[in-house]
Amino acid sequence: MVQDDEKRIKNEEEAISRAFQDILDIYLASQHRKKVELITKAFNFARQAHKGVRRHSGEPYIMHPLAVARIVCAEIGLGSTSICAALLHDVVEDTDYTVEDIRNLFGEKIAMIVDGLTKISGGVFGMQASEQAENFKKLLLTMSEDIRVILIKIADRLHNMRTLEFMPVNKQYKIAGETLYIYAPIAYRLGLSKIKTELENLSFRYEHPEEYAKIEKKIEKTQQERDVLYSEFTTPISDSLKKMGCKFYIIGRVKSPYSIWNKMQKKHVAFEDIYDILAVRIIFTPKDIDDENNECFKIYNAITRIYDAHPDRLRDWLNKPRANGYRALHATFMSKRGEWIEVQIRSERMNEVAEQGIAAHWKYKNQGDDATPDSQLDNWLHTIKEILDDPQPNALDFLDTIKLNLFATEIFVFTPKGEIKTMPQNCTALDLAYSIHTFLGNHCIGAKVNHRLVPLNHILNSGDQVEILTSNSQHVDAGWLNFVTTAKARTKIQAALRRQKRILQREGEEKLQQFLEKEELGNYSNNIEKIWKRHNLDSREQLLEAIGSGTIVLGSDDKDALLGNKKFRFPTFSFFGKGKSENKHVETPEHFEKIDRKQTLSITDDSLHHSYIIADCCHPIPGDDVLGYYDEENRIVIHKRKCPIADTLKSSHGDRILAANWDTHRTLYFQVPILIKGIDSIGILNQITTIIYQELNVGIQKLTIESKDGIFEGTVWVNVHDVEEVHTICNTLKKIKNIQTIARID
Ligand code: MN
């Protein structure tokens, strides 16, 4: 026994040394200054600090900081400061050492980064919404102080995701959910596209293991076809580029299971219908680094002599890089087999930036290249700071606001003077107004887009010329929140609304005091509750606001209420200012339908005495991947794992998430909407209903069909027991000629 232990420990020690040597090798091969001594010191310090502690996987704890340091060095391309900070990132959190100790041993910079990492080590999301907002703000603040904090945090998360199998299932959902909700978007925003893809894929694998396996299998099965297609398509390109004397290599890139799945969900298509699973990437060494953009176009021209290019799919990310710094030329060509194939043309340095994001920018920036992307990143960090300066009372709103900012892709619009502005896709005229100046936003009444008058909520397109129209009499309206898409506009509108509210409340307070004085009710000023309850309001603030805005005029009934006289009547309605639209939570118990838990669900937790309800937002049915969520009343609400509301809950209240699985089914019916699209033809409606009713013996709850220009689109609500039955219905209906799309609607 003892000998076994000794042997095991010896093996582990060797593994630790090997892992460290591996990092040093990668580091020494990089272009960074060689500070091996400092890194070795950090490693030895972390190693003894974590001594004796093990991870969930059973490994010695130090293997985790080592893995994070390796990612930081090899996959993000950072240097010694970051490698040291990564090695030390859990020391302050998990051992008795303090930031002071780190500062004394490793200096100010490393200590500051470790401190930042320690502050956000509790996970971005805590138990309470307010706590979560605080943590999240901390994350963003540390990020804007030193971007390396967040880069190391992403590396930490990536390693935790890679080793997620060792965590209990409900923790897996929390971690996977958070990852998809916030870390993948941040990784994308920082240009770490490879890491973003891996994070998404790992989350997907843990949340929908069966779907993941299915797609992976299909990718494998079709690989050979793609290999043939790839070599047929690229051979002539290779030949032609070689003749041009170009130094290059070509790789085929296969879409990740997550993005395939995402596309299937979004576009309601089958795996077989996704045409861009294969993309081709050409990476070249430019003859002249300053001329790399032109060389991209030269390669593009060479390919157009072999294949036809798709007229609408040329994407020039060279002259207008993405906000995360990405540069490349994308084009789509028709292969000889009649399939469209996307080709991405990049120089070596563009490729490095594409994979390692901003870290690679810094590297090139040091070489004297002052490209725009860095200022783009600065812009973004600046926006983040602006949002942070404007405190938002609702934590979830705050999260949404930040998230809006992470995933947006850009369009370009022009001011009347011909200046160019970058805006997120799907932004409105009002968003643009706010992005130029808060005053313009607050007083915006409309815009002229390409000289045509449009309303505030008009969605802008790339290339539009936009003139913002304002009026001093215009005031911010809560309804604006329903259509703006940028974080900045949202924050500024909310701030203006709060300001308006405070003014109304102040006026209301004055009017209330006047009323009390006039009616000689001064002694009752502690009983104002009776008045706001009478008006069905929830707080004194609401009452003051309503009085201030004039929607409530205090009168004799209020006096009676205050004096406790019973004769007043309850008003049936009380219209209360604009503030109500800010409350997003509408899921009152009536919105859920109750089901009998014995028959349908098992929840892997000891809390089976709770009753549960099916979430109204995503209508899960037996067979769907689901999870449970303890709501405020301690009921368990069942959501689909892919439900966007569940995503938010996972992130904001991860500790209340339970793993849930369907047990036995076929006892209850669920109504499920199925979307049908196709070419309109005589008798098609009859065919659909005949198949569902007679052939499949399934009840139809409701059916709506619309036909326009020879295309019909309809929704059938069927009564089914589970997902399998939905699949059967869809597969059978697919056989009808002229039907093109069939999909369950979420
Ligand atoms: Mn860690």
Side-chain angles (χ1 to χ4, degrees):
M1 256 318 261
V2 177
Q3 257 186 346
D4 275 1
D5 273 358
E6 265 171 28
K7 203 175 163 195
R8 200 192 61 196
I9 287 168
K10 193 168 163 266
N11 284 342
E12 282 178 356
E13 293 296 311
E14 275 170 21
I16 293 169
S17 304
R18 262 202 314 278
F20 179 62
Q21 191 53 50
D22 182 36
I23 294 172
L24 282 186
D25 291 345
I26 297 165
Y27 173 70
L28 287 170
S30 76
Q31 293 166 3
H32 291 284
R33 277 181 295 160
K34 311 302 175 215
K35 293 190 179 171
V36 175
E37 213 173 289
L38 188 68
I39 297 177
T40 309
K41 184 171 154 194
F43 163 63
N44 286 330
F45 183 74
R47 184 183 200 171
Q48 62 85 16
H50 291 298
K51 200 157 190 76
V53 183
R54 288 178 185 278
R55 300 192 84 209
H56 276 280
S57 60
E59 283 183 314
Y61 195 87
I62 188 67
M63 292 307 275
H64 167 64
L66 277 169
V68 176
R70 192 187 191 283
I71 293 169
V72 159
C73 171
E75 296 179 49
I76 309 185
L78 297 171
S80 62
T81 307
S82 306
I83 295 173
C84 290
L87 287 167
L88 299 166
H89 82 270
D90 278 333
V91 166
V92 175
E93 172 70 14
D94 294 343
T95 75
D96 292 334
Y97 291 100
T98 63
V99 178
E100 252 343 279
D101 298 327
I102 305 277
R103 186 172 292 122
N104 291 335
L105 286 164
F106 299 97
E108 183 57 48
K109 230 175 218 166
I110 291 175
M112 203 199 78
I113 296 176
V114 173
D115 188 34
L117 285 160
T118 308
K119 278 187 197 142
I120 52 176
S121 67
V124 181
F125 305 105
M127 288 279 277
Q128 302 287 321
S130 54
E131 184 185 322
Q132 148 215 342
E134 265 324 299
N135 285 336
F136 194 66
K137 272 184 201 166
K138 264 188 242 158
L139 176 90
L140 296 170
L141 270 175
T142 48
M143 171 158 84
S144 45
E145 272 162 23
D146 190 327
I147 199 82
R148 283 175 291 193
V149 175
I150 194 72
L151 291 171
I152 298 168
K153 183 73 192 169
I154 288 172
D156 182 28
R157 175 52 58 116
L158 179 58
H159 184 241
N160 287 336
M161 285 300 294
R162 283 177 180 169
T163 50
L164 197 59
E165 62 188 298
F166 303 107
M167 295 299 272
V169 177
N170 66 327
K171 285 265 168 58
Q172 285 182 356
Y173 291 152
K174 175 180 153 65
I175 295 170
E178 259 184 26
T179 301
L180 203 56
Y181 189 80
I182 208 73
Y183 286 98
I186 290 181
Y188 171 79
R189 203 61 186 68
L190 298 178
L192 302 163
S193 60
K194 240 185 160 171
I195 289 182
K196 170 226 169 204
T197 305
E198 189 178 346
L199 288 174
E200 283 175 343
N201 238 351
L202 285 166
S203 298
F204 174 47
R205 201 175 103 194
Y206 284 98
E207 294 202 316
H208 305 279
E210 283 157 31
E211 305 268 335
Y212 181 89
K214 241 191 257 169
I215 292 177
E216 222 185 15
K217 213 168 145 198
K218 282 192 175 167
I219 295 176
E220 213 181 279
K221 246 175 97 181
T222 49
Q223 187 56 44
Q224 217 179 350
E225 277 170 51
R226 270 194 308 277
D227 287 345
V228 175
L229 178 66
Y230 172 79
S231 75
E232 273 184 14
F233 180 75
T234 54
T235 309
I237 298 178
S238 267
D239 292 345
S240 157
L241 295 186
K242 272 180 208 154
K243 265 184 220 152
M244 286 164 59
C246 189
K247 235 175 102 190
F248 69 97
Y249 61 96
I250 304 184
I251 52 168
R253 191 228 50 173
V254 177
K255 232 183 177 46
S256 74
Y258 173 77
S259 26
I260 291 175
W261 181 73
N262 209 13
K263 197 156 189 179
M264 286 166 67
Q265 301 286 319
K266 274 198 182 139
K267 304 220 156 151
H268 297 303
V269 293
F271 178 90
E272 291 70 25
D273 298 326
I274 295 181
Y275 62 90
D276 58 350
I277 290 180
L278 173 73
V280 168
R281 200 168 279 166
I282 301 174
I283 296 150
F284 66 97
T285 317
K287 286 171 195 146
D288 174 2
I289 189 116
D290 294 326
D291 202 34
E292 53 181 3
N293 286 8
N294 278 336
E295 288 182 42
C296 286
F297 280 103
K298 272 184 202 154
I299 293 174
Y300 167 76
N301 282 335
I303 306 174
T304 56
R305 271 175 241 130
I306 309 168
Y307 302 111
D308 286 328
H310 194 297
D312 299 331
R313 291 217 199 116
L314 183 67
R315 299 277 178 273
D316 174 8
W317 301 110
L318 298 168
N319 295 303
K320 301 261 174 303
R322 284 185 184 157
N324 63 15
Y326 179 78
R327 293 198 301 140
L329 185 63
H330 291 190
T332 302
F333 297 93
M334 176 59 80
S335 75
K336 299 276 186 254
R337 294 188 167 226
E339 283 174 73
W340 290 111
I341 295 180
E342 186 180 82
V343 178
Q344 306 167 349
I345 306 166
R346 307 168 174 173
S347 71
E348 272 164 348
R349 111 168 131 174
M350 292 175 194
N351 189 52
E352 204 167 332
V353 170
E355 289 185 348
Q356 302 196 331
I358 57 149
H361 276 306
W362 286 343
K363 199 158 109 193
Y364 288 109
K365 209 182 169 183
N366 290 339
Q367 293 177 3
D369 174 63
D370 220 348
T372 42
D374 276 313
S375 62
Q376 297 256 25
L377 179 72
D378 287 344
N379 265 344
W380 182 65
L381 288 174
H382 184 75
T383 314
I384 296 274
K385 273 186 192 142
E386 254 182 334
I387 298 168
L388 291 172
D389 288 342
D390 233 322
Q392 305 227 358
N394 185 327
L396 285 182
D397 276 356
F398 170 72
L399 277 184
D400 284 343
T401 304
I402 293 288
K403 223 176 115 69
L404 273 179
N405 227 297
L406 291 173
F407 254 151
T409 47
E410 302 84 36
I411 59 164
F412 303 97
V413 295
F414 296 90
T415 68
K417 286 178 193 155
E419 279 168 277
I420 196 161
K421 280 218 65 118
T422 311
M423 291 295 294
Q425 201 166 32
N426 292 324
C427 76
T428 62
L430 185 59
D431 286 296
L432 177 68
Y434 273 106
S435 89
I436 298 170
H437 199 284
T438 309
F439 183 87
L440 275 190
N442 285 344
H443 295 92
C444 181
I445 50 169
K448 272 188 182 171
V449 171
N450 307 325
H451 306 291
R452 202 167 52 86
L453 200 63
V454 298
L456 295 170
N457 61 358
H458 178 86
I459 292 173
L460 302 178
N461 289 311
S462 216
D464 280 347
Q465 190 186 54
V466 191
E467 181 185 351
I468 300 296
L469 305 173
T470 60
S471 156
N472 277 334
S473 59
Q474 175 70 301
H475 284 292
V476 176
D477 189 293
W480 291 2
L481 291 169
N482 297 332
F483 60 79
V484 292
T485 62
T486 56
K488 182 160 184 185
R490 179 167 289 274
T491 323
K492 294 294 174 194
I493 293 169
Q494 280 165 343
L497 288 172
R498 280 197 300 276
R499 215 161 35 238
Q500 284 178 11
K501 226 187 226 179
R502 279 197 300 274
I503 293 171
L504 288 178
Q505 284 175 9
R506 226 174 295 138
E507 287 169 9
E509 182 72 50
E510 266 169 42
K511 284 188 192 168
L512 175 67
Q513 293 309 329
Q514 283 164 10
F515 172 77
L516 294 177
E517 248 169 66
K518 197 181 103 206
E519 302 288 336
E520 295 174 347
L521 291 167
N523 293 340
Y524 294 88
S525 54
N526 289 331
N527 295 350
I528 301 302
E529 189 182 329
K530 287 188 176 158
I531 299 186
W532 52 261
K533 286 214 165 134
R534 187 184 97 76
H535 289 281
N536 286 340
L537 298 176
D538 298 330
S539 67
R540 183 187 173 100
E541 286 71 35
Q542 285 188 2
L543 175 71
L544 294 178
E545 197 186 332
I547 298 173
S549 68
T551 40
I552 287 180
V553 179
L554 297 173
S556 59
D557 282 344
D558 297 298
K559 182 177 173 181
D560 288 340
L562 208 51
L563 293 170
N565 295 343
K566 291 278 179 205
K567 66 176 181 179
F568 71 84
R569 62 200 149 71
F570 272 101
T572 40
F573 280 108
S574 161
F575 290 102
F576 164 65
K578 291 163 180 172
K580 275 248 148 115
S581 59
E582 281 182 6
N583 289 334
K584 276 196 182 157
H585 298 283
V586 286
E587 289 114 315
T588 55
E590 305 87 81
H591 287 84
F592 297 111
E593 66 187 276
K594 240 193 163 92
I595 58 155
D596 184 351
R597 69 181 165 84
K598 274 184 301 215
Q599 288 168 315
T600 43
L601 271 165
S602 79
I603 289 194
T604 50
D605 192 67
D606 49 6
S607 49
L608 283 174
H609 353 274
H610 295 268
S611 61
Y612 26 101
I613 39 194
I614 295 286
D616 189 44
C617 45
C618 54
H619 302 283
I621 65 171
D624 283 326
D625 289 339
V626 289
L627 52 79
Y629 164 72
Y630 271 118
D631 69 2
E632 275 75 21
E633 278 137 66
N634 253 357
R635 296 166 307 185
I636 296 167
V637 185
I638 304 301
H639 286 271
K640 281 188 195 163
R641 274 182 229 156
K642 67 177 176 194
C643 166
I645 294 191
D647 275 345
T648 314
L649 292 172
K650 272 181 282 189
S651 315
S652 56
H653 300 90
D655 304 78
R656 298 204 199 160
I657 296 293
L658 305 165
N661 280 302
W662 300 98
D663 259 357
T664 51
H665 9 102
R666 311 243 154 147
T667 41
L668 289 169
Y669 280 106
F670 298 84
Q671 274 96 50
V672 171
I674 295 178
L675 175 81
I676 307 178
K677 275 193 214 174
I679 298 161
D680 202 4
S681 52
I682 298 167
I684 194 154
L685 186 62
N686 194 15
Q687 270 177 299
I688 294 171
T689 50
T690 309
I691 286 184
I692 299 178
Y693 263 135
Q694 290 172 9
E695 201 174 305
L696 299 169
N697 215 355
V698 169
I700 296 179
Q701 181 81 16
K702 196 166 89 185
L703 190 150
T704 57
I705 284 237
E706 233 178 275
S707 174
K708 202 184 154 197
D709 303 332
I711 304 287
F712 79 88
E713 190 177 323
T715 310
V716 199
W717 291 75
V718 290
N719 293 327
V720 293
H721 293 105
D722 56 29
V723 170
E724 225 172 282
E725 291 184 1
V726 178
H727 288 321
T728 312
I729 296 170
C730 289
N731 289 335
T732 319
L733 288 178
K734 247 181 214 161
K735 287 179 196 142
I736 302 179
K737 209 180 128 202
N738 288 338
I739 286 196
Q740 286 183 335
T741 306
I742 300 208
R744 176 174 167 203
I745 304 173
D746 294 318

